[in-house]
Amino acid sequence: MAPVGVLVGSGGPVKDFGGKITSSVVVTCVVAASSGLIFGYDIGISGGVTTMESFLKKFFPSVLRKAAAAETNIYCQYDSQLLTAFTSSLYIAGLAASLVASRVTAALGRKNTMVLGGLTFLAGGAVNGGAVNVAMLILGRILLGIGVGFTNQAAPLYLSEVAPAKWRGAFNTGFQFFIGIGVVASNFINFFLSKHPWGWRLSLGLAVVPAAVMTAGAALISDTPSSLVERGRLREAKQSLARIRGAGADVEGELDELVRSVDVAKAANQEPFVTILKRPYRPHLVMAVLIPFFQQVTGINIIAFYAPVLFQSVGFGKDSALIASTILGVVNLGAILVSTAVVDRYGRRFLFVAGGFQMLVCKLAVAAVLVAGTGVSGTEHMSKALAVAVLVLLCTYGAGFGWSWGPLSWLIPSEIFPIKIRTTGQSISLAVNFATTFVLSQTFLTMLCHLKYGAFLFYAGWIATMTLFVVCFLPETKGIPLDSMQGIWDQHWYWRQFVTTTTT
């Protein structure tokens, strides 16, 4: 048996059980990360479909009439509560699913939860593809939301529990990378189908393809060692550890540590949702709430909604919305790869702060360009030169998000919780993500119509706030094994007053 090594983290020395990048860990993590495909596909498809004339004519004709009205400025032409309900219904369904996903993930395991989510998403895609009225559209969106709720709960946990501590950040960013692939793929599909009378139906219905791919893949991989130990399947857990850690790793030592953590959790015999509210877990709860909340108030949704309106308004033609979305998606993909390469070298805090500063500058610059180009009221015609400037700024903003708050907002909640509240903490984080997205998607178009360029200043204020929060309150987690994460709170200048050294 290999000796247990020692790592020195922000909380002092921690156990290192070894482990390397094996073919098994790569394959299982790629399959698990592919769960992000369905979320990304939906983000891209729904944004593109809502600009297709055939779709709007069939389900939302009032939007077309408003867009054609001469008095409508560039900020208000897509302000429709019914159209917003189509988009946001997925998030309220995801919110409901996330509240039960904690128990499902603990009872069935990470793998089976991903399979269940994939099957539900597949059903939603089929319903949307065959929709004949708004009610069917929203029903399909609800099924999609439930599917995304389950997969987004299980996949980040799977990645953090399977990946070696030294490279956990890189493997976990794979989830955001597949979200990005889903977005780009859906944008291409929307572009080529936009002029087909049934293009919207094919775009929505093709959601069954990524759902089938990720579901089939998830069904073939084994569950995480942590989940198997949690459910009393020790023999399978040991076999799983041996496969993913490779020769030379202290499999027995890591298994013993997992068993010890699970035994302590079971001995406490407390409801996890009650446990996480206790004082020793205050920093965990704060991060579970604020990290996903901050991710959404970066204003990333403002880009998805505003880019199509902007480029159509300056005369690039109807296809410009889809082209712009594709450009932004490709830039985002490249930025995620940057995060994958450096997150375990420079750490989470560095990327959060650097990305936050980059996004803040871009938001302020976009607001200034919009005032210069369209006037305070937003009714003046913007020159193509200024429109190109906005596109460049939005791409730079998207890159900042892509290597910071995009992937790291999935990584941090999946790695900071002890095993007894891990699924509960992830569930709370996911619920906050969906709840915030729902509120923003319900109000953003109306806010954009009334605040105009001020919407960018609104989000700039939040970006400044979250960057300061990271500097002051988020400890570094790179390279720390999951079951040794307690030390980062013990040594933190503020959180140490809440935690105790006996917390597990």
Side-chain angles (χ1 to χ4, degrees):
M1 180 184 299
V4 178
V6 174
L7 294 173
V8 178
S10 58
V14 296
K15 294 179 181 178
D16 175 22
F17 298 106
K20 54 187 179 182
I21 299 179
T22 63
S23 58
S24 178
V25 78
V26 170
V27 170
T28 55
C29 283
V30 167
V31 171
S34 70
S35 297
L37 274 175
I38 61 176
F39 192 28
Y41 186 88
D42 179 80
I43 292 171
I45 283 295
S46 59
V49 163
T50 52
T51 65
M52 292 185 184
E53 187 173 340
S54 57
F55 177 80
L56 295 174
K57 185 176 181 180
K58 182 173 181 62
F59 297 107
F60 307 100
S62 62
V63 175
L64 284 179
R65 291 194 296 268
K66 181 179 289 189
E71 67 273 12
T72 298
N73 67 35
I74 67 169
Y75 295 104
C76 300
Q77 58 180 304
Y78 287 97
D79 182 18
S80 165
Q81 287 302 310
L82 189 59
L83 181 60
T84 301
F86 163 73
T87 302
S88 60
S89 55
L90 178 144
Y91 301 110
I92 198 65
L95 169 61
S98 66
L99 294 176
V100 301
S102 171
R103 299 186 187 280
V104 173
T105 308
L108 301 182
R110 286 50 160 160
K111 164 191 169 177
N112 291 331
T113 303
M114 287 189 287
V115 172
L116 179 61
L119 291 173
T120 309
F121 190 94
L122 193 151
V127 171
N128 268 353
V132 296
N133 52 44
V134 174
M136 282 190 70
L137 280 178
I138 293 180
L139 173 62
R141 294 286 291 173
I142 290 173
L143 290 172
L144 294 175
I146 294 172
V148 167
F150 284 133
T151 55
N152 286 12
Q153 161 80 8
L157 286 180
Y158 189 104
L159 292 166
S160 286
E161 290 178 347
V162 167
K166 186 177 179 180
W167 297 285
R168 186 174 59 243
F171 278 105
N172 198 284
T173 59
F175 183 70
Q176 181 72 21
F177 182 73
F178 273 97
I179 291 177
I181 290 177
V183 170
V184 172
S186 61
N187 286 333
F188 276 112
I189 290 172
N190 279 335
F191 180 79
F192 289 110
L193 294 178
S194 61
K195 292 183 172 59
H196 193 285
W198 277 18
W200 64 268
R201 194 179 294 279
L202 293 172
S203 291
L204 293 176
L206 282 173
V208 302
V209 175
V213 170
M214 65 81 45
T215 302
L220 296 176
I221 60 177
S222 63
D223 212 339
T224 72
S226 296
S227 179
L228 291 169
V229 170
E230 198 173 18
R231 291 179 287 145
R233 297 161 65 174
L234 299 184
R235 183 178 178 182
E236 292 177 60
K238 184 176 180 179
Q239 292 173 343
S240 177
L241 271 176
R243 282 195 303 270
I244 63 178
R245 294 293 181 252
D250 183 10
V251 172
E252 291 286 353
E254 186 170 357
L255 181 62
D256 289 344
E257 185 71 13
L258 287 175
V259 171
R260 185 192 68 81
S261 298
V262 170
D263 287 344
V264 169
K266 290 182 178 179
N269 194 27
Q270 293 178 330
E271 165 59 44
F273 279 99
V274 174
T275 301
I276 201 172
L277 296 177
K278 294 184 175 181
R279 182 179 175 86
Y281 301 104
R282 191 66 47 79
H284 307 75
L285 181 61
V286 169
M287 296 302 166
V289 172
L290 288 186
I291 293 295
F293 172 78
F294 283 149
Q295 183 197 42
Q296 292 307 310
V297 293
T298 57
I300 191 64
N301 288 327
I302 206 173
I303 303 304
F305 282 108
Y306 185 70
V309 179
L310 172 65
F311 295 116
Q312 287 182 13
S313 71
V314 295
F316 283 119
K318 294 180 179 180
D319 291 336
S320 63
L322 304 178
I323 295 174
S325 297
T326 302
I327 293 173
L328 292 171
V330 171
V331 169
N332 183 258
L333 267 181
I336 296 169
L337 289 177
V338 173
S339 180
T340 301
V342 303
V343 65
D344 291 313
R345 177 179 300 178
Y346 298 110
R348 286 66 158 149
R349 283 168 51 87
F350 171 79
L351 290 179
F352 268 130
V353 174
F357 180 77
Q358 181 173 331
M359 290 189 292
L360 175 61
V361 171
C362 290
K363 286 287 188 182
L364 295 174
V366 168
V369 171
L370 288 177
V371 172
T374 65
V376 175
S377 64
T379 56
E380 298 178 20
H381 180 75
M382 179 183 288
S383 68
K384 288 192 176 181
L386 287 179
V388 170
V390 171
L391 174 60
V392 172
L393 287 170
L394 294 184
C395 286
T396 306
Y397 160 85
F401 179 85
W403 59 53
S404 62
W405 283 92
L408 299 185
S409 296
W410 298 108
L411 171 60
I412 295 297
S414 71
E415 67 179 359
I416 62 173
F417 297 102
I419 193 168
K420 67 179 177 180
I421 57 169
R422 188 170 296 158
T423 60
T424 303
Q426 178 72 4
S427 179
I428 292 173
S429 178
L430 189 58
V432 171
N433 187 299
F434 280 126
T436 308
T437 306
F438 173 74
V439 172
L440 292 177
S441 63
Q442 280 291 105
T443 60
F444 168 67
L445 292 177
T446 299
M447 181 179 73
L448 183 63
C449 183
H450 289 84
L451 294 183
K452 303 177 176 60
Y453 67 90
F456 288 89
L457 299 178
F458 171 81
Y459 287 112
W462 278 114
I463 293 172
T465 300
M466 66 185 71
T467 303
L468 183 62
F469 173 84
V470 167
V471 170
C472 295
F473 298 109
L474 181 66
E476 184 55 65
T477 59
K478 73 167 183 175
I480 309 296
L482 295 184
D483 294 310
S484 301
M485 199 64 72
Q486 177 60 28
I488 67 172
W489 311 111
D490 290 334
Q491 299 297 318
H492 190 269
W493 71 272
Y494 180 75
W495 297 122
R496 63 188 177 193
Q497 65 183 301
F498 296 96
V499 302
T500 64
T501 56
T502 58
T503 304
T504 56

